[in-house]
Every structure is written in structure tokens, then in C-alpha cells.
Amino acid sequence: MSGGGAGDTLDKLVVFLAKRDGVDKLVKTYQYVAKLAHWAAETSHPGLAGRAKSWETAAGLSRKVFRSGRSLTGFNALRRSPGEFGALAVLANAGEMVYFFFDHFTWLSRVGVLEPWLARRASFVSAFGECVGYVFFIAMDFIMIRRGIRRERALLRGGEGKEEEREGEVRRIRADRVMRLMGTAANLADLVIAVADIEPNPFCNHAVTLGISGLVSAWAGWYRNWPS
């Protein structure tokens, strides 16, 4: 029994890491664990703190490379009909496209391919687009969560279709709500990180705030992308 469970988990991990988003969430975990380790060791163990900082920097740059071409996702969504959300979907996808597109210039500048001064400007524009995208993606998720709650209440009152069908739909609504709440948690956490880049302040830029926000986002992503 235990061997089968371990094998099943390993199978799921292999599938998870075969996805670009899966690798991104793993490396994101590395990045923000390293950030917290650097903060914790900075005063008492400078040598260890330096190694943690190098790990954090390498993980952050690696994630940017893995995201090459991701701007096409937002661009492709803009080419299609925005659907029922209209302007909300257009603004969310436009923000995401700007975020990933300028992210290319950020990492190319940081590794020395482009002029170093370009990194800060590209990072600002990228983070601004990221903020815009997150705000509207969060708004769409809240709308869908509210609709789901209303639909669930109507189903629980009965009177629609067979009981088994109602129970099945309620389960689907609840599962969708959990996924949307995870997505909202990740977007809110990433929004804090983006605000720290756009408008530096003591709260958002504190290592603990950034570290916890990064891990919340990473682990919500693990949950959403883990094979069911």
C-alpha cells in the first residue's frame, strides 16, 4: 500500500515537473526560501547568508529564462474574443503580456547582454503590467466565486433535476471555488511583490514580507498544477 502510494506520488511529481509552470513553482520555492535564509543568517552567519543570496539570485534569473515566450499567451488571448468578461479580460491579459514581454529585457540586462541601466526601467514596466493583470484577474475570480456561491445555494435548496446531478454539480462548484481561491491567493501575494518593485516601502520590501508572499504564491501554484 505504502509503496503504491509513494509510486503514485512520484508519478505525479514527474508529470508536475514536466510542465513549465511546475518547474517555475519549484524554482520559485528555491528563490524565496533562499531569501528568507539570507535574511535569517545575514547578521549571525555572513558566509551562509552570501551563499543564500547567490542561490536566490540564480533562482530568480532562472525563472525569468523559463518564462521566455510567455508574453505570447497574453497576446494570443487578446486576439480572441474576450468572452463574458469583456474589458476585464482585455485588461488582465494586456497586463500579463506587458509583464512577460518586458521581463525578457530585465534578465537580458542583468546577465550583461543588454546595457545594465535598462534592467531597472524594464523591471518597472514589467511590474506595472503585472499589477494591472493581477488586479483584473482577481476581480474576475471573485465574480466567478460569487456566481458559484449563488448557484450552489440554489442547488442546495433543491427542486432542480435529480439529487445525484445536483450533488455532482455542487462538488464541481466547490472544487472550482478552491482553485479560484488558490489563484487569488497567488495573485495577491505576487501583487505585493510587484508593488515592492513599483513603489518601494518598508512593508512590501521587507525580506520577510517578500519571502512569505513568494512562498504563498509558489505553494498555491503547486496546488493548482499538481496532477489530480
Side-chain angles (χ1 to χ4, degrees):
M1 293 288 289
S2 59
D8 186 51
T9 300
L10 181 58
D11 288 341
K12 290 182 177 181
L13 181 60
V14 169
V15 172
F16 176 78
L17 294 177
K19 303 176 183 177
R20 175 155 62 172
D21 280 343
V23 173
D24 180 68
K25 302 316 171 195
L26 176 63
V27 180
K28 190 171 190 174
T29 302
Y30 293 161
Q31 180 182 0
Y32 288 99
V33 165
K35 178 175 281 293
L36 290 173
H38 173 261
W39 170 79
E42 191 171 12
T43 304
S44 56
H45 300 89
L48 180 60
R51 294 181 183 183
K53 185 63 179 178
S54 296
W55 187 20
E56 177 197 347
T57 302
L61 286 175
S62 296
R63 289 185 61 229
K64 292 182 183 300
V65 178
F66 293 149
R67 293 197 293 257
S68 295
R70 281 289 295 272
S71 57
L72 296 176
T73 303
F75 177 71
N76 197 43
L78 288 173
R79 290 174 57 241
R80 302 177 184 277
S81 170
E84 59 181 316
F85 288 107
L88 287 178
V90 170
L91 290 168
N93 286 301
E96 183 183 72
M97 182 183 69
V98 169
Y99 162 42
F100 286 123
F101 181 75
F102 281 91
D103 201 42
H104 294 89
F105 296 102
T106 303
W107 73 263
L108 286 171
S109 298
R110 287 180 178 169
V111 299
V113 176
L114 299 178
E115 294 296 326
W117 60 264
L118 189 60
R120 181 60 196 160
R121 295 185 182 182
S123 180
F124 180 88
V125 176
S126 177
F128 184 82
E130 186 179 12
C131 284
V132 171
Y134 289 145
V135 166
F136 290 105
F137 278 125
I138 290 167
M140 289 190 290
D141 274 334
F142 274 129
I143 290 171
M144 293 304 296
I145 288 170
R146 185 177 64 178
R147 287 181 185 176
I149 290 171
R150 290 177 176 174
R151 178 61 180 161
E152 181 182 346
R153 288 174 179 170
L155 290 167
L156 292 174
R157 284 196 295 267
E160 270 188 56
K162 298 179 181 179
E163 184 177 354
E164 289 183 2
E165 293 175 350
R166 291 201 305 272
E167 290 177 352
E169 188 171 352
V170 167
R171 284 195 297 270
R172 286 192 294 273
I173 289 171
R174 289 175 177 174
D176 179 74
R177 182 158 65 239
V178 169
M179 298 300 278
R180 290 188 182 279
L181 286 172
M182 286 292 176
T184 299
N187 287 337
L188 283 171
D190 284 330
L191 183 60
V192 171
I193 297 171
V195 168
D197 208 13
I198 295 174
E199 192 64 40
N201 61 83
F203 174 73
C204 290
N205 289 80
H206 195 283
V208 174
T209 303
L210 292 171
I212 291 174
S213 296
L215 291 177
V216 166
S217 174
W219 292 341
W222 275 81
Y223 185 90
R224 296 180 73 199
N225 288 282
W226 190 258
S228 59

